[in-house]
Structure formats: structure tokens, C-alpha cells
Amino acid sequence: MMVTTAYAPTADIVHRAKQLAGESGLYYVRRGHATLPRLSARYGEDEWLIVGKDGIRYVRTGNAPVFFHPSTAYLRIQRLLKGESDPMLAASGAASGDQVLDCTAGLASDAIVFASRVGPEGGVTALESRLPIYLVVREGLSDYVSDLPELQAALPRIRMKHADHLDFLREQADDCFDIVYFDPMFRIPVHESKAIEPLRHVSDARPIRQEAVSEAVRVARK
């Protein structure tokens, strides 16, 4: 995977692309006037992080681009504001001030809903094992601007970490989070879920191991 920019980047965008590449151990490539297929052919690379004025996108040859968006979190928070319930929050018992560990962040829509519920005294640590998704979401959480104040306020409460959830859980003390949450990709896909579809080719498809569940029970105070 390499890092480049959109066409006609500003100096700030070029600086950001170089910084992203450097801190991630990736190579930065000057875009110039080259198309992405031409760059791919030149460098023998089919995975790209593209930095532009609207944030960063992950592009893999032959697949739809992956970019950050709150997806269903927007509608779910709206429903909560109307007094409706959310099944995830109801099942978890999440409350103001809680510290939540989301072991399967993806595009972080569940993490956003948790962050909305736990409020300014709480927080969400969101783990993502796949580097492209981690980078897209980490940058997206800081760039995204929503017209829903409650959603906007939730975004800074999420701390993204690039980590395998089992490795991370093994290193945690007993009862150090209130809630530990898993939501892996479906083993049998629901293709009607358009928001998730671009993630299928890049997400971690491994099932949750029993050891991870046991570690989660140890780590989760609630």
C-alpha cells in the first residue's frame, strides 16, 4: 500500500500525505497528472491511500473506495434524541461515564453511538486490525463535520487503536473497561447493506475466538 494525493493538491494536503506515510511506514508517491491505474502500473501497487481536501480514501483496484462516514450512527442518534431505544445500548447497559472497548471498529458507527451515550465523562477505545480501515477512520473522526451536534460531540470521545483485539485484551488488567463489545463481519453477508459492502474486500474476516470472549469477560467490569 502506498500514499498519494488527489489531483492538484495544496501544500497542506501534500504535507499531510507525507506525514501519514511516514508515521505509518508507507511510501509517499507524488501524484502529478497520473491516473491511479497508471500509478498502479508504474509502481506495481494496487492499494492506495489518497489524501484530498475531503479527507482520505482507501482504494484497491477493482473495488469501491472506502472512506469515513457515520453510516447508521446518524439515524440511531436521532432516534435516541426522540426517546427511542437502541438495541445495542439496551443490551450492553451503556451509561454516562462508561469506558467502552469496541474490539471490531470497522467504520466506527457503533463506537459513535456508544460515545454519544457515555457522554463527556466517558470514552470509547476502538480497535481496528486492518491498517487501511484504521487510518481512514482515525483521520475521518477528526475531519468529519456533522449537522447533528450530538454526533459531532461524540467523535472526539473515540480513541482509535491499530491492534488485534485478542493481543490487546491479553494486555489489559481485570475490570479495566466497563463494556467490551464485538461486532464482526457476518460470515454470510447481507448484500443489501450498502454501507458495509465496500469493507468486505478489506475487513478482517476471522471469527471471534473463544479465548477472546474469555478475555473480554475478564476485562469488562459490567
Side-chain angles (χ1 to χ4, degrees), residues 13-26:
I13 289 175
V14 171
H15 175 74
R16 185 178 183 185
K18 290 180 177 179
Q19 187 177 46
L20 184 69
E23 70 180 28
S24 306
L26 303 173

Side-chain angles (χ1 to χ4, degrees), residues 43-142:
Y43 293 100
E45 179 59 69
D46 67 350
E47 293 184 86
W48 295 89
L49 284 174
I50 303 175
V51 181
K53 63 180 180 179
D54 297 324
I56 73 171
R57 294 175 292 132
Y58 166 72
V59 178
R60 184 176 182 180
T61 303
N63 293 280
V66 176
F67 56 92
F68 175 78
H69 55 88
S71 188
T72 58
Y74 187 97
L75 294 176
R76 291 165 69 187
I77 292 174
Q78 280 188 320
R79 290 174 185 146
L80 289 167
L81 293 171
K82 294 176 183 177
E84 300 177 25
S85 65
D86 182 271
M88 179 188 76
L89 296 182
S92 66
S96 178
D98 278 350
Q99 291 293 328
V100 177
L101 176 63
D102 181 349
C103 289
T104 50
L107 289 179
S109 58
D110 287 334
I112 294 170
V113 177
F114 271 124
S116 175
R117 171 55 58 89
V118 302
E121 301 303 316
V124 178
T125 299
L127 310 181
E128 178 50 53
S129 62
R130 296 287 285 116
L131 182 62
I133 301 176
Y134 161 74
L135 291 173
V136 166
V137 175
R138 187 195 68 179
E139 298 299 300
L141 288 170
S142 63

